[in-house]
Amino acid sequence: MYVRDDRPFGGLDPPAALFQFSPDRLGEHSERHLDGFSGVLQADAFAGFNRLYDPTRPLGPLVEAACWAHARCRFFVLADVTAKARGRLPVLGPLALAAVERIDAIFVVEREINSLEAAARLVIRRERLAPCVTELETWMRAERTRLSRHADVAKAMDYMLKCWPAFERVIHDGRICLTSNAAERALRGIALGGKAWLFAGSVPGGERAAVMYTLIQTARLNGVDLQAWLADVLARINKHPARDLDALLPWNWQQPAATQLVADAA
């Protein structure tokens, strides 16, 4: 699934989610989904995206931006003091804890500039974020040379270092977020209910489910009363002029006065 949310850098375009169904995780599906798209793709290090960053891509390579939350999570699991106390971790990793502290310092700065315009974010990032990012890289590369490649913390470091340009891209473009959490939040409902609905039944069933998820998550991203929006749109859409369908999109939709009164009374 894909999410566009420009609000963190003061963008004016409304947020939107797009779910696509595919029967497997082959990279050809994301290539088809993003055919015709150019720009920044922020995601985890899923190998299926690699061809999208290939310079030989017909429209040119997408700009890869890595997710700092995914990277932090790998260290956090190893440094989780609470889990260690419960006996779930054999060793509390001091290097993992040090990495989490350094990454958290980056997030502190980022929270302060959330919703500023891209140009303003970029100025502050270059002034305050860039030194933290550089120090983290220098520290990780130095520590990595002392570790076995089989060490868990080494694997967490390699996850970042192998695609470091994608991680440091945030200090070169004020539009890019530190994380892909907007997409992760949109996927949360599917992840939580995965064991309750393991199968879509068929490919057409999966495609219809993707359409419904797209509508629901886009409405949520825009702060729309989901039940009221769906009820109103489904009741009106058959007679609604095709040339004016944009009026029914979540970011344009106006809740009917009668529905608003009922909602307020409830």
Side-chain angles (χ1 to χ4, degrees):
M1 63 89 57
Y2 309 91
V3 169
R4 180 195 67 193
D5 190 350
D6 296 346
R7 291 173 295 181
F9 62 87
L12 300 179
D13 290 329
L18 173 64
F19 285 76
Q20 295 277 15
F21 173 81
S22 57
D24 51 53
R25 287 171 55 83
L26 294 178
E28 63 190 44
H29 303 300
S30 56
E31 291 176 47
R32 184 178 70 257
H33 300 159
L34 296 173
D35 183 37
F37 172 72
S38 60
V40 178
L41 176 63
Q42 185 164 37
D44 60 8
F46 174 49
F49 293 139
N50 287 348
R51 289 176 61 178
L52 294 170
Y53 310 130
D54 191 324
T56 63
R57 183 173 179 261
L59 284 180
L62 297 185
V63 177
E64 181 184 8
C67 173
W68 283 79
H70 279 88
R72 180 185 182 277
C73 183
R74 291 169 177 261
F75 291 109
F76 184 81
V77 169
L78 298 174
D80 192 338
V81 179
T82 304
K84 169 61 177 173
R86 292 196 298 265
R88 290 171 53 188
L89 284 177
V91 178
L92 179 64
L95 289 179
L97 184 59
V100 169
E101 291 172 345
R102 285 170 166 81
I103 294 173
D104 282 352
I106 293 171
F107 275 93
V108 167
V109 176
E110 188 66 13
R111 280 192 288 270
E112 294 176 7
I113 63 175
N114 192 44
S115 78
L116 294 182
E117 292 185 357
R121 278 158 60 98
L122 185 58
V123 170
I124 297 173
R125 280 177 172 176
R126 286 177 172 172
E127 178 183 334
R128 298 177 56 193
L129 216 64
C132 296
V133 172
T134 300
E135 194 276 334
L136 173 63
E137 180 190 14
T138 302
W139 173 81
M140 276 202 301
R141 292 194 185 280
E143 294 296 339
R144 179 63 185 85
T145 61
R146 304 184 181 97
L147 296 169
S148 163
R149 62 187 177 90
H150 300 293
D152 288 336
V153 71
K155 295 175 183 177
M157 289 180 177
D158 287 343
Y159 176 84
M160 295 191 73
L161 294 174
K162 287 180 179 178
C163 52
W164 188 254
F167 279 100
E168 67 174 4
R169 193 146 281 132
V170 293
I171 62 178
H172 302 296
D173 190 333
R175 299 170 302 166
I176 298 174
C177 293
L178 271 187
T179 75
S180 58
N181 283 351
E184 297 296 329
R185 286 191 294 269
L187 276 171
R188 181 174 173 80
I190 296 177
L192 290 176
K195 291 185 178 180
W197 51 81
L198 286 176
F199 306 103
S202 64
V203 170
E207 292 170 344
R208 285 192 290 269
V211 170
M212 292 307 299
Y213 281 127
T214 294
L215 296 174
I216 290 168
Q217 291 299 337
T218 298
R220 286 176 172 169
L221 283 169
N222 285 273
V224 169
D225 182 328
L226 179 59
Q227 184 175 356
W229 175 68
L230 282 174
D232 181 57
V233 169
L234 291 175
R236 294 166 52 192
I237 196 165
N238 278 344
K239 297 181 180 179
H240 193 83
R243 64 180 180 277
D244 193 33
L245 282 178
D246 281 2
L248 301 182
L249 293 173
W251 50 83
N252 292 328
W253 177 73
Q254 298 294 319
Q255 186 168 358
T259 307
Q260 181 66 56
L261 289 174
V262 171
D264 291 343

